[in-house]
Amino acid sequence: MNELCGRLESFIDGELAPVDAENFRHHLTRCHACETRMKELLALALLADDALHSSAGMADVGPTRLQLRRRRTWMMVVPLALAAGLAAWVLVTRTGSEPVSSELWLGQSPGRTLEARLTYPSADRHRPYEVMRSGGDKPRAMSLRELAKLEEAGDERGIASAYLLRGDAAQARAFLDRLPASPDLDSDQAVLLLQQGAPEEALVLLDRALKQQPQHPQALWNRGLALKALGLSLQSAEAFERVSALKEPGWSEEAARRAAELRRQEQEKRKDWKGAKEECDRMVAGGAPLAQGLAARHPGLARLCFYDALRAATSAERVEALRPLARQLDAVDGGSHLTDALQRAAQSDLGARKPFAADYVKLTKGELPPPALDALIVKLREARHEDLLLGTLLFLKDSRQFEEEYRALALGSKDPWFALLAEERQARADIQRGQTPRARMRLTEALRGCGPESRFNYRCLELQRNLALVERQLHRPVESRAHALAALERARAGREWTKEWRLLQELGQAALFHGDVSLARAYLEETIQRLPERCEDHEPAYANLALAYYRTLDFAGAREQLDRAARCGQPPSLARAFVIADLAHTQERRIEDTAMLTRGLEALRAVPSRLETAGDGAMLRHIEGRFFIEQDRHRGQELLRRAIDESAPLLDSDVNARKARVYSYTSLILDAARHGEFERALAFFTEERALPSAERCVLGVTVDDERTALVARDAAGKLLGHYDSDRRERLESVEGLVPEALAQALRPCVTVNVLARPPVLGKPGLLPPDIAWAYHVGPSLTEARGSPGPRLVVADVNAPSELRLPSLRAWSPARGDDAGLTLLKGAAATPSQVLRAMRDAAEVQIHAHGVVDPNVVDGSLLVLSPEEQGGRYALTAGDLQGHPLQGRPVVLLAACHAAHSKAYFHETFGLPVAFVESGARAVLAATQEIPDAEASDFFEPVLARIREGLPAARVLRDARQDWLRSRGSPWVRQVLLFE
């Protein structure tokens, strides 16, 4: 017995405080003495109750206070009166799936410290949310006894919830990972991601949960938190309003308050910016200078308007009135550039500027027609009003006009604002000339002058925004998103409300490019809600939303977005035209689409400035062909052929040209397969890669949204094909994609060359493990044979300590196996050293850690030793560009996730493909984790047999089958061969 046993009578009488009663209830389930004694007291109480009832005739004798209390208490447990009933109750309490200990769920606290909601009922009881001013609550201890009960009951969801409540992410993940898929699991895993500062990933899981269960209260709540963390306040408010509508006690009221506060804050930001802009416009038109408070809150906008107001000034008094504002803004950005500009204006002939100043004010309002703008430029040049000319030239839509003149004027001002603006304008000129890589270099260099401080914040955010756009045009979505987020941070810091709006729209487009559909939809819907009255500005958002819905195979949703765009009255953009063409092969096609698409393509071709790159012309041709091939095959095929021809001269410099070519072959292959023309379809596979016709043991695979086309020749050269359009979910895995009949026909082949097109290329499990096959990436179907030559091994690298990666086993060559071997290890195994050493090698082995970090690079990266200068340690697919592998090596990437690739619709981006494109004959890599203790035992014999000249695909197949029979380690199924 212990001291708790002395509380039994008080517990029975109901005299214990709630927390003490809860604790005693759990003590009772474990204490045999108390259990026995309680049975005795129960029997006595029942006898007493009977005696009380039997004396009902004694009307003058009322029950004592103690009798009433005991009677009231025991009347609540009468169903448990018998001993057997009590034993059953104890047993249920012991083994129930959910212990009632409020301590386990932090129920003893009057408020909650977890802002998110968990799906476990005991952990989802509403209490006010408490924020600790210390930056976080102290770790909360957890009863190991209570935890053990959950463990004994197999309640892994309860255990995970208890850890989540305490912010123990590692422990929570271990138990969540054991649970079967469900909306509840998605919501709880999203809480884990929110705790780890990953709202984007959380949003994906929450959208998936809500797709299955649209009114899931916890998922809706957590989605509101994820959107709030992303700064998407109106989308967040909408999520909380949906929670409020569920009328859950406590949660509904808090959700309503959160939604109202988010909307109020957003409305205040918009109102403040609009007020500043209106005051700015009045100042430029001759009104009072900006108030000090407005200028302090919006320094970028204030400086922009100061320049315009100074150019429009026509009297000394007006110039002098601007002096306090000049001093205030100079203090923000440093220097005396505005005060100096004001002095120069005061010393000029202000009277002679009057006619020009009036035209300039009209120009700032958008009221000066293009011919008048051209005439104004000529007059200003003749009159030598250089400050006015500098401001006027910026309004030219073609940045190539007077490019050198603008640069000379900007740099001549000695004002850093205009020096940055000159680089930005010249970068736009580079893009308009089709020199996008040059624009990227120019903007990157200009940004070196933008530090973390807020000086010239407005100009720096524009440089970063333009660099994000350039990176997107070059199809570098990871880099594009990073620069756009940096620009967004600057926009918010400077309260640049319209810049923030524009950046949210562009972040939505970047997310869509990267395949992050949930994130794209959140960003784009936010932009529409922030400016609901400006329908004409929403065409890009609606078009990209349509594309996002289409990517998830929600064709009705895509059509709804196209209808929203059409109501705005703007001609279709390239993105909207693409979706119209995409819907042509679905049930969402409409008769009026033909006229709409034709008008849209004509409008785009009539105004070349609406096209971003030279490759957009080929893309327009592809869109036209993609649309018409569904109703007029001959016309569509002809247009697609023209798109391929038009893209040819631009393939090396223009991503959109490469996309137009790949997409056109996709349409041609699917069209041929749909009509049973498998010979023609296979010819397109080989033609695309400039390969000779395939006579045997080849498989062509292409997937486009819901459609799949496969064509093969077996070992005897027999042609087989398959086409379907039955997919209802986005392609995630390719296992089972090849029908069994096709796989069976290919089994007799010595090796199967797989011509897989994006997004299939690089995915594991396409063919069964007992078939020898390889992804064929390079320009020839000739079997790659081994040949003697120098060998390079990279091992024992010094991974940066901050990555906290475990050390790998030391590598050493087998006895007598070091002839012609170069070993790069330790501090020498840096990315630059490895790239140099690989150039002439005939075999390359890299034993290192592989990491997948979508925030850093597409695909995976290899962790090498850091460089002495700069500390760079990663070797990525992009690093291989411009580094030809002249020895045409066989490459082994003995690193976890080394074959992990990012599959877009026009290319697969990852290390294996990059190695082949740089000259490797063959690349061996795994998409998943590789056990360090087993890597050498598996790969060394494989490499030895390839050196003997055996076909790599057959060697890999045999080694994999032997390994599975002898050791059973499943990781070898994920090892892929690229040739």
Side-chain angles (χ1 to χ4, degrees):
M1 293 182 62
N2 59 37
E3 62 178 353
L4 284 175
C5 296
R7 298 185 178 185
L8 178 60
E9 283 80 0
S10 297
F11 172 73
I12 292 173
D13 291 342
E15 294 176 344
L16 292 181
V19 172
D20 294 332
E22 183 76 11
N23 290 334
F24 189 85
R25 191 174 292 112
H26 292 291
H27 163 75
L28 183 64
T29 65
R30 299 187 299 271
C31 181
H32 179 72
C34 284
E35 181 182 331
T36 302
R37 176 65 177 152
M38 184 169 183
K39 292 177 186 177
E40 296 172 355
L41 291 173
L42 175 62
L44 291 172
L46 289 173
L47 289 173
D49 196 59
D50 287 342
L52 185 66
H53 279 84
S54 66
S55 60
M58 299 170 63
D60 295 334
V61 183
T64 66
R65 181 181 175 190
L66 176 62
Q67 287 173 325
L68 281 173
R69 185 170 64 239
R70 288 193 172 181
R71 181 179 181 185
R72 184 171 61 248
T73 301
W74 289 109
M75 287 297 287
M76 295 170 62
V77 294
V78 165
L80 304 176
L82 298 176
L86 178 61
W89 174 69
V90 171
L91 180 62
V92 168
T93 307
R94 262 188 192 166
T95 60
S97 61
E98 186 184 333
V100 280
S101 170
S102 64
E103 182 276 333
L104 195 63
W105 314 115
L106 305 180
Q108 70 275 26
S109 171
R112 72 184 199 279
T113 57
L114 181 65
E115 189 175 16
R117 289 182 65 176
L118 300 175
T119 60
Y120 199 74
S122 295
D124 191 44
R125 292 170 182 156
H126 184 268
R127 286 167 294 155
Y129 175 54
E130 293 181 345
V131 178
M132 298 300 170
R133 292 197 174 189
S134 62
D137 197 10
K138 295 179 180 179
R140 300 292 188 99
M142 183 153 48
S143 167
L144 297 181
R145 190 184 297 275
E146 299 297 340
L147 203 61
K149 284 189 203 175
L150 292 174
E151 182 83 38
E152 185 178 354
D155 192 349
E156 292 171 336
R157 182 165 158 244
I159 297 172
S161 299
Y163 280 120
L164 280 171
L165 278 172
R166 290 159 174 80
D168 192 334
Q171 292 280 13
R173 181 181 294 279
F175 288 94
L176 288 174
D177 286 347
R178 302 180 189 176
L179 299 176
S182 70
D184 281 358
L185 177 61
D186 284 339
S187 182
D188 287 343
Q189 285 183 321
V191 174
L192 181 66
L193 290 166
L194 287 171
Q195 289 180 339
Q196 295 175 324
E200 302 94 337
E201 297 171 52
L203 189 63
V204 174
L205 293 177
L206 294 165
D207 280 357
R208 187 169 70 184
L210 291 167
K211 185 176 182 181
Q212 298 176 65
Q213 191 176 332
Q215 299 303 313
H216 192 290
Q218 293 85 8
L220 282 170
W221 180 280
N222 296 333
R223 188 173 191 271
L225 295 180
L227 292 164
K228 179 186 175 186
L230 291 167
L232 305 181
S233 51
L234 297 183
Q235 284 282 283
S236 177
E238 188 175 86
F240 283 120
E241 284 162 354
R242 289 178 64 186
V243 176
S244 179
L246 299 178
K247 301 301 180 185
E248 300 174 283
W251 294 114
S252 177
E253 292 79 9
E254 183 178 338
R257 289 194 300 271
R258 285 174 175 266
E261 179 62 16
L262 286 164
R263 291 196 181 279
R264 183 193 64 77
Q265 290 175 358
E266 180 56 37
Q267 182 61 29
E268 283 187 358
K269 287 195 299 183
R270 174 178 172 166
K271 182 179 178 182
D272 186 47
W273 186 89
K274 287 186 71 176
K277 181 65 170 64
E278 289 168 359
E279 291 298 314
C280 249
D281 291 342
R282 278 194 281 271
M283 178 177 72
V284 173
L290 274 181
Q292 185 176 4
L294 276 179
R297 291 197 301 276
H298 304 277
L301 177 65
R303 187 169 187 129
L304 193 70
C305 293
F306 172 86
Y307 288 121
D308 285 341
L310 186 59
R311 290 166 189 146
T314 57
S315 69
E317 292 77 14
R318 177 59 179 168
V319 170
E320 189 59 31
L322 296 172
R323 188 176 297 278
L325 180 59
R327 288 174 176 163
Q328 181 183 359
L329 296 175
D330 272 339
V332 171
D333 289 329
S336 58
H337 306 100
L338 299 187
T339 307
D340 295 344
L342 190 141
Q343 288 298 114
R344 289 193 296 271
Q347 294 167 6
S348 66
D349 186 354
L350 293 169
R353 295 162 60 99
K354 277 190 177 181
F356 306 118
D359 280 346
Y360 185 78
V361 172
K362 290 180 183 177
L363 184 61
T364 63
K365 295 178 179 180
E367 298 173 356
L368 198 69
L373 170 60
D374 295 336
L376 178 61
I377 290 172
V378 173
K379 294 175 183 176
L380 289 172
R381 192 180 288 134
E382 291 172 350
R384 303 181 66 83
H385 292 307
E386 294 183 345
D387 60 328
L388 274 165
L389 180 60
L390 178 63
T392 302
L393 289 174
L394 193 63
F395 286 87
L396 292 169
K397 292 184 178 179
D398 189 343
S399 297
R400 293 168 294 183
Q401 286 185 275
F402 314 120
E403 183 179 349
E404 293 303 322
E405 182 180 17
Y406 183 87
R407 183 174 183 83
L409 289 169
L411 298 181
S413 71
K414 307 298 183 184
D415 187 337
W417 174 283
F418 293 112
L420 294 172
L421 188 53
E423 297 300 330
E424 181 187 325
R425 192 173 187 274
Q426 282 204 280
R428 287 201 296 268
D430 289 335
I431 296 169
Q432 290 168 337
R433 280 192 294 266
Q435 298 173 335
T436 311
R438 184 175 177 181
R440 178 175 178 265
M441 291 176 61
R442 185 186 300 279
L443 291 167
T444 301
E445 185 62 32
L447 272 168
R448 298 188 195 282
C450 292
E453 68 277 3
S454 60
R455 293 179 68 246
F456 303 104
N457 183 67
Y458 186 98
R459 290 266 61 91
C460 289
L461 85 84
E462 278 294 281
L463 287 172
Q464 284 179 314
R465 174 176 169 261
N466 278 275
L467 183 54
L469 295 173
V470 166
E471 298 282 21
R472 197 181 78 212
Q473 289 178 16
L474 292 172
H475 202 88
R476 301 167 64 97
V478 174
E479 293 86 348
S480 175
R481 180 173 178 273
H483 289 298
L485 286 173
L488 181 64
E489 188 176 342
R490 286 185 177 274
R492 286 171 173 163
R495 293 184 175 86
E496 297 295 343
W497 187 82
T498 55
K499 296 295 182 186
E500 180 181 350
W501 178 85
R502 183 68 65 189
L503 280 159
L504 291 177
Q505 191 174 80
E506 290 160 1
L507 276 163
Q509 293 173 322
L512 188 58
F513 266 59
H514 201 237
D516 300 329
V517 176
S518 287
L519 190 59
R521 286 165 58 174
Y523 277 127
L524 294 169
E525 286 287 4
E526 180 78 10
T527 65
I528 293 169
Q529 290 191 24
R530 287 196 182 187
L531 270 177
E533 72 278 11
R534 295 290 298 273
C535 189
E536 65 275 13
D537 290 333
H538 297 329
E539 203 279 346
Y542 289 135
N544 283 284
L545 277 170
L547 191 54
Y549 279 95
Y550 184 87
R551 292 276 172 83
T552 59
L553 308 189
D554 182 355
F555 303 140
R559 173 56 72 181
E560 182 182 347
Q561 300 304 319
L562 291 182
D563 291 343
R564 291 173 76 187
R567 287 194 287 271
C568 293
Q570 302 295 307
S573 62
L574 189 146
R576 180 149 56 116
F578 206 117
V579 183
I580 294 171
D582 271 333
L583 291 177
H585 67 267
T586 75
Q587 294 182 342
E588 292 297 325
R589 63 182 179 272
R590 293 181 184 168
I591 296 175
E592 60 267 27
D593 284 349
T594 302
M596 183 186 301
L597 182 73
T598 302
R599 286 197 304 269
L601 295 177
E602 288 174 353
L604 286 165
R605 287 174 176 139
V607 186
S609 62
R610 293 187 65 191
L611 303 180
E612 292 184 347
T613 72
D616 282 350
M619 184 62 79
L620 290 178
R621 192 74 63 197
H622 160 75
I623 290 170
E624 196 174 8
R626 188 181 185 90
F627 178 82
F628 282 107
I629 201 170
E630 301 300 325
Q631 45 195 301
D632 183 343
R633 287 190 72 199
H634 178 74
R635 180 182 178 185
Q637 290 167 356
E638 198 173 74
L639 287 165
L640 292 168
R641 280 292 190 186
R642 286 176 61 187
I644 292 170
D645 293 341
E646 290 174 13
S647 66
L650 304 169
L651 294 178
D652 292 336
S653 60
D654 196 297
V655 173
N656 279 353
R658 294 199 293 276
K659 290 181 180 180
R661 183 178 188 273
V662 173
Y663 297 163
S664 294
Y665 273 112
T666 299
S667 293
L668 289 169
I669 290 169
L670 289 168
D671 171 69
R674 180 162 67 100
H675 290 88
E677 300 169 358
F678 294 113
E679 184 87 43
R680 181 185 177 93
L682 184 56
F684 285 131
F685 275 105
T686 54
E687 176 190 310
E688 182 181 21
R689 304 187 189 196
L691 301 173
S693 60
E695 300 299 331
R696 59 183 56 83
C697 293
V698 64
L699 171 66
V701 186
T702 195
V703 166
D704 188 57
D705 302 314
E706 85 285 13
R707 299 176 293 175
T708 301
L710 301 101
V711 58
R713 284 196 185 277
D714 63 14
K718 181 182 176 182
L719 184 70
L720 305 97
H722 172 82
Y723 173 85
D724 70 63
S725 57
D726 301 329
R727 188 175 300 102
R728 293 297 174 261
E729 299 288 339
R730 295 179 70 190
L731 181 75
E732 298 295 342
S733 169
V734 297
E735 292 188 19
L737 187 68
V738 179
E740 177 57 32
L742 274 180
Q744 188 64 31
L746 293 169
R747 272 194 171 86
C749 290
V750 175
T751 63
V752 178
N753 286 301
V754 177
L755 306 179
R757 306 178 72 255
V760 175
L761 176 61
K763 290 187 179 291
L766 182 66
L767 286 172
D770 62 318
I771 295 178
W773 65 280
Y775 280 121
H776 192 86
V777 183
S780 172
L781 280 172
T782 303
E783 184 70 57
R785 299 290 177 182
S787 61
R791 297 163 56 205
L792 169 67
V793 174
V794 180
D796 307 336
V797 303
N798 297 336
S801 59
E802 62 267 21
L803 297 182
R804 298 181 180 179
L805 296 172
S807 298
L808 299 177
R809 291 200 309 173
W811 185 91
S812 60
R815 183 175 298 176
D817 192 32
D818 54 358
L821 176 66
T822 298
L823 178 60
L824 274 182
K825 60 188 298 186
T830 63
S832 59
Q833 290 274 62
V834 171
L835 286 169
R836 278 194 294 270
M838 286 195 303
R839 187 184 62 180
D840 298 314
E843 179 181 298
V844 175
Q845 299 182 44
I846 301 180
H847 299 267
H849 282 289
V851 175
V852 176
D853 187 345
N855 294 317
V856 176
V857 67
D858 279 342
S860 58
L861 60 87
L862 300 176
V863 178
L864 301 181
S865 300
E867 306 276 2
E868 286 188 15
Q869 298 293 326
R872 172 174 154 252
Y873 63 83
L875 182 68
T876 69
D879 294 329
L880 290 163
Q881 295 175 0
H883 290 273
L885 305 177
Q886 297 176 358
R888 298 206 63 221
V890 172
V891 177
L892 166 63
L893 302 179
C896 297
H897 309 291
H900 178 85
S901 302
K902 180 68 177 181
Y904 298 104
F905 289 99
H906 75 290
E907 70 176 350
T908 294
F909 192 82
L911 286 164
V913 172
F915 268 101
V916 173
E917 290 179 344
S918 294
R921 282 181 292 131
V923 179
L924 289 159
T927 59
Q928 301 296 326
E929 293 184 345
I930 299 175
D932 184 33
E934 299 181 359
S936 293
D937 290 347
F938 178 77
F939 286 118
E940 288 291 354
V942 170
L943 289 174
R945 296 188 69 198
I946 293 174
R947 285 183 215 124
E948 296 170 3
L950 295 173
R954 194 172 75 193
V955 170
L956 176 60
R957 187 272 313 272
D958 293 345
R960 181 165 49 219
Q961 292 297 92
D962 290 344
W963 190 272
L964 290 171
R965 281 192 295 268
S966 62
R967 303 204 190 188
S969 301
W971 67 270
V972 297
R973 294 176 181 270
Q974 306 294 326
V975 179
L976 299 179
L977 175 65
F978 299 77
E979 291 187 330

